[in-house]
Amino acid sequence: MNFLDHIWLIPLFPLFGALVMLILGRRFDPQAPSDVALAPGLAGSVEDYGHHTIGSTKILVSLLCPGMVLLSFLLSIGAVIELAATAGKVHQVIQFTWLAGLPFRMADGSLARFSADWGFLLDPLSSVMILIVTGIGFLIHVYSTGYMAHDGGYYRFFAYLNLFVFFMLMLVLANNYALLFVGWEGVGLCSYLLIGFYFHKKAAGDAAKKAFIVNRIGDAGFILGMLLLFALAGSVRFLDVNAALANRTAETGFGILSVSALLLFLGAAGKSAQFPLYVWLPDAMEGPTPVSALIHAATMVTAGVYMIARSSALFVLTPETSTIVAAVGAFTAIFAASIALVQNDIKRVLAYSTVSQLGFMFVALGVGAYWVAVFHLYTHAFFKALLFLGAGSVIHAMSGEQDMRRMGGLKDKIPVTFRTMFIGSLAIAGVPGLAGFFSKDEILWQAWSSPLGSKTIFAVGLVTAFMTAFYMWRLMFLTFYGQPRMDAHTAAHIHESPASMTIPLRALALLSIAGGWIGVPKLWSVFSDGFRAFEHWLEPVFAAAYRAEEAHHEASVEWLLMALSVSVAVGAILLARRRYLARAGQQEPEAEASGLLHRILLNKWYVDEIYDFLFVNGLAKRGGSLLGRFDSAIVDGGVNGAAWLTRFTSRFSIWWDTWIVDGLVRLSAFTVKVWSYPVRLVQNGLVQTYALMVMAGLAVILGYYMSR
């Protein structure tokens, strides 16, 4: 089988699973007491399901949906292996043209035809993404069979999960911006469905609507940026756009290319939760924990990073926009990390951690280190999926409890969950040898050494790295160490998760250890080039960025900065240990539980309240009433005025027609009638009348001559 020519099948497998579930899924899960999705802790007990919790017909759902993602993963592996042996490492499959012949005004004023293929592109960048989406997605599907076993709407959950994977695969395999946007909107739809899966909870419904609405802002920027790029390049195919941009020089100011890049970045900021559009992502944890893992690690939030990386040929030419990208990323990273320092919900800590780590990725994109951004996306997928699924295992053991202040002492009660989360926390903290160290350290180095980087961005990244290690080990110490702080009923039911949940945790822990060793720093010269395979693999995609890279620094500087970043991470872990492990029996250290800064951070810098005041209660309500008055007075007034003017002119026309036109017609008719009366007297068709008129005429003539 030629895998490369069949890459179009990769997204179709999960689509098939989704369609089967949506059409026939109810038949596969007939023993479910209802189709109402229940949150963990609210779900019925095993006895409520009789003997049909995860057996008999429900097993079909558990086999079909993960199986479809597994098939996509295996096909992806085959395609990537074939791609590695292909010259140029690019393969494109075009099925048909789905947007053809739409007239469009180009930047130079000429008229062109907008068209887009239903086509797929496999290159080193998209190959990394499909392996992440299908590989991590498969593990999350397997985990979900255990985590969601006692929830209503089981088949519906897996239908949405399969649909999510389908749209994400469409996004990363698309060969043009228009088809990428189809997947882009699709993952937005699926996030809405899955975040709001527990639809009986108001918080879940609100979070789903929030995610949907906030992303519309970014999506508007994406569309405008795509159309502007088409006006510049004459195509939306990635390969054609890159070829058109290859002959251009970098803009010295903020020109049309920079505007296009900035609009695309706006779209990326929405999907990848950058300030100020990040507010939807922390609330996305209201959905089931496997959904949080899928959104935060493998699918939706990585879409913005992928799109900017895919557009690297454009951003290389727009240093002004790239500076904005790096600055926004740095601010988002430290801003979200500061909030995560004091959050008490275990999933909310991880949610703000994701926002912060995405900020790191945008720093790398902004300083021109595109392969490093993708590298951190890759390692982050492992340890963040591990941490979210580990948090789900903790919640499962705690009968739905998510507040870390009511945990503690779980280390020996759920040992597999503890050990795997221990590894994930070391990885995200940047401890040497684990996946997170390699990618985080490379971002800090690029922020320092890149021509587009700065010492300020490096300093912000270093402080953020300290915060990351601190809040993650705060989470670990409050959750697993010290004295138990849960109630007696919860304590009596604590148990390790089933194998369907712990096996994915073990696999992700292994990847969090070994996954970074394909991106070893060049400074570690003792290792061969095989340990730097990730950078070499992506080099053809980011050729323009590699050509722009000029800066060189002393090896001693890089060693010093690496040692500094490791010291910062270790110091943060030790500080968290001193602060929380010694006082783990308390609900919260006294010094932390008070103070203005703590209240500000606990309330997330009051950003949500500010947005509510300005937009929800302001623009939508008070502003809405003002807009309503404007609408009724001006807009409706203009429309009604135009209608009145039409009616008035029509009445005037009727009056004119009745009194003037009809009057003139009648007068003309009367005049004609009067003047024609003598004619009508003689022109009556009677011969004797004509003879009489002849005789009268002769009499008149004779009388005239006789009178002379």
Side-chain angles (χ1 to χ4, degrees), residues 44-315:
S45 65
V46 174
E47 289 75 19
D48 294 334
Y49 284 76
H51 299 289
H52 300 282
T53 55
I54 195 65
S56 65
T57 55
K58 189 178 266 191
I59 197 67
L60 295 175
V61 181
S62 305
L63 289 175
L64 178 65
C65 294
M68 291 296 101
V69 182
L70 178 60
L71 287 176
S72 293
F73 179 59
L74 296 175
L75 182 55
S76 298
I77 293 175
V80 172
I81 292 173
E82 288 187 0
L83 182 71
T86 302
K89 293 184 174 57
V90 175
H91 188 79
Q92 191 168 211
V93 176
I94 298 175
Q95 302 295 105
F96 53 87
T97 300
W98 67 290
L99 290 176
L102 301 176
F104 193 91
R105 183 70 62 183
M106 301 294 288
D108 59 3
S110 62
L111 191 66
R113 295 287 178 177
F114 183 94
S115 63
D117 304 320
W118 193 271
F120 301 92
L121 174 68
L122 190 66
D123 66 354
L125 177 57
S126 57
S127 65
V128 170
M129 295 302 299
I130 61 173
L131 291 176
I132 292 173
V133 173
T134 57
I136 304 297
F138 170 67
L139 293 175
I140 293 172
H141 272 71
V142 173
Y143 178 96
S144 300
T145 61
Y147 189 85
M148 301 295 293
H150 307 319
D151 282 74
Y154 187 78
Y155 74 92
R156 185 164 48 84
F157 175 81
F158 277 95
Y160 296 161
L161 219 58
N162 266 203
L163 196 63
F164 209 150
V165 173
F166 160 72
F167 278 119
M168 189 64 192
L169 289 171
M170 288 295 297
L171 189 155
V172 299
L173 279 173
N175 77 331
N176 62 81
Y177 285 99
L179 188 57
L180 184 152
F181 189 70
V182 172
W184 187 275
E185 289 297 279
V187 295
L189 168 65
C190 293
S191 69
Y192 170 79
L193 296 173
L194 285 167
I195 294 170
F197 183 75
Y198 296 136
F199 52 80
H200 67 289
K201 289 174 57 180
K202 185 178 186 301
D206 291 344
K209 289 182 285 187
K210 189 175 185 179
F212 195 82
I213 293 170
V214 171
N215 271 278
R216 300 288 73 74
I217 301 171
D219 293 352
F222 183 102
I223 294 173
L224 294 174
M226 173 181 65
L227 295 178
L228 184 56
L229 196 58
F230 175 81
L232 293 168
S235 175
V236 290
R237 282 189 192 173
F238 300 134
L239 298 181
D240 294 344
V241 170
N242 292 347
L245 296 175
N247 299 322
R248 287 179 174 261
T249 57
E251 289 186 339
T252 55
F254 204 83
I256 190 168
L257 286 176
S258 296
V259 173
S260 177
L262 188 62
L263 288 168
L264 291 178
F265 171 59
L266 177 61
K271 273 291 182 288
S272 292
Q274 295 300 284
F275 189 89
L277 301 180
Y278 74 95
V279 291
W280 69 270
L281 186 56
D283 290 352
M285 44 76 68
E286 291 291 344
T289 302
V291 174
S292 301
L294 194 63
I295 291 176
H296 289 246
T299 55
M300 185 168 173
V301 298
T302 64
V305 178
Y306 166 78
M307 189 264 285
I308 299 295
R310 176 60 74 190
S311 308
S312 60
L314 171 65
F315 281 83

Side-chain angles (χ1 to χ4, degrees), residues 342-364:
V342 300
Q343 297 303 305
N344 297 312
D345 187 306
I346 188 171
K347 286 175 65 177
R348 194 169 289 275
V349 172
L350 297 176
Y352 279 104
S353 172
T354 300
V355 177
S356 181
Q357 295 301 307
L358 289 166
F360 267 111
M361 297 176 206
F362 277 90
V363 167

Side-chain angles (χ1 to χ4, degrees), residues 368-382:
Y370 299 100
W371 81 267
V372 182
V374 178
F375 186 37
H376 195 56
L377 184 157
Y378 156 83
T379 61
H380 178 264
F382 300 146

Side-chain angles (χ1 to χ4, degrees), residues 430-607:
V431 172
L434 281 79
F437 161 76
F438 294 104
S439 56
K440 180 220 52 171
D441 187 75
E442 191 66 36
I443 291 174
L444 292 176
W445 170 244
Q446 293 290 339
W448 176 277
S449 63
S450 170
L452 294 175
S454 72
K455 306 304 182 286
T456 301
I457 292 178
F458 169 81
V460 171
L462 193 65
V463 173
T464 304
F466 174 85
M467 291 180 174
T468 301
F470 183 85
Y471 66 64
M472 280 309 307
W473 283 90
R474 172 181 178 266
L475 180 151
M476 290 296 294
F477 290 131
L478 287 177
T479 302
F480 293 102
Y481 291 86
Q483 297 300 315
R485 298 182 298 278
M486 70 287 297
D487 59 73
H489 180 268
T490 302
H493 290 84
I494 295 175
H495 60 283
E496 185 60 273
S497 299
S500 59
M501 295 170 64
T502 57
I503 290 174
L505 290 178
R506 289 188 171 101
L508 289 167
L510 181 62
L511 290 169
S512 297
I513 296 171
W517 285 91
I518 59 174
V520 170
K522 294 178 181 178
L523 193 66
W524 295 13
S525 56
V526 67
F527 293 97
S528 66
D529 270 359
F531 286 89
R532 286 176 280 278
F534 198 90
E535 179 181 2
H536 297 321
W537 176 251
L538 290 174
E539 189 170 355
V541 181
F542 304 127
Y546 279 92
R547 288 195 298 270
E549 208 173 302
E550 296 289 343
H552 297 282
H553 294 268
E554 293 291 334
S556 58
V557 176
E558 188 172 355
W559 277 115
L560 180 62
L561 296 180
M562 187 181 297
L564 180 60
S565 69
V566 172
S567 300
V568 162
V570 174
I573 295 173
L574 294 176
L575 180 62
R577 182 181 186 277
R578 179 181 177 183
R579 188 176 181 85
Y580 294 100
L581 187 56
R583 311 185 192 186
Q586 301 180 21
Q587 292 245 328
E588 195 77 3
E590 294 177 6
E592 182 182 275
S594 61
L596 177 62
L597 181 59
H598 177 267
R599 288 197 299 273
I600 291 174
L601 296 180
L602 190 61
N603 287 283
K604 303 160 288 186
W605 293 98
Y606 295 99
V607 172

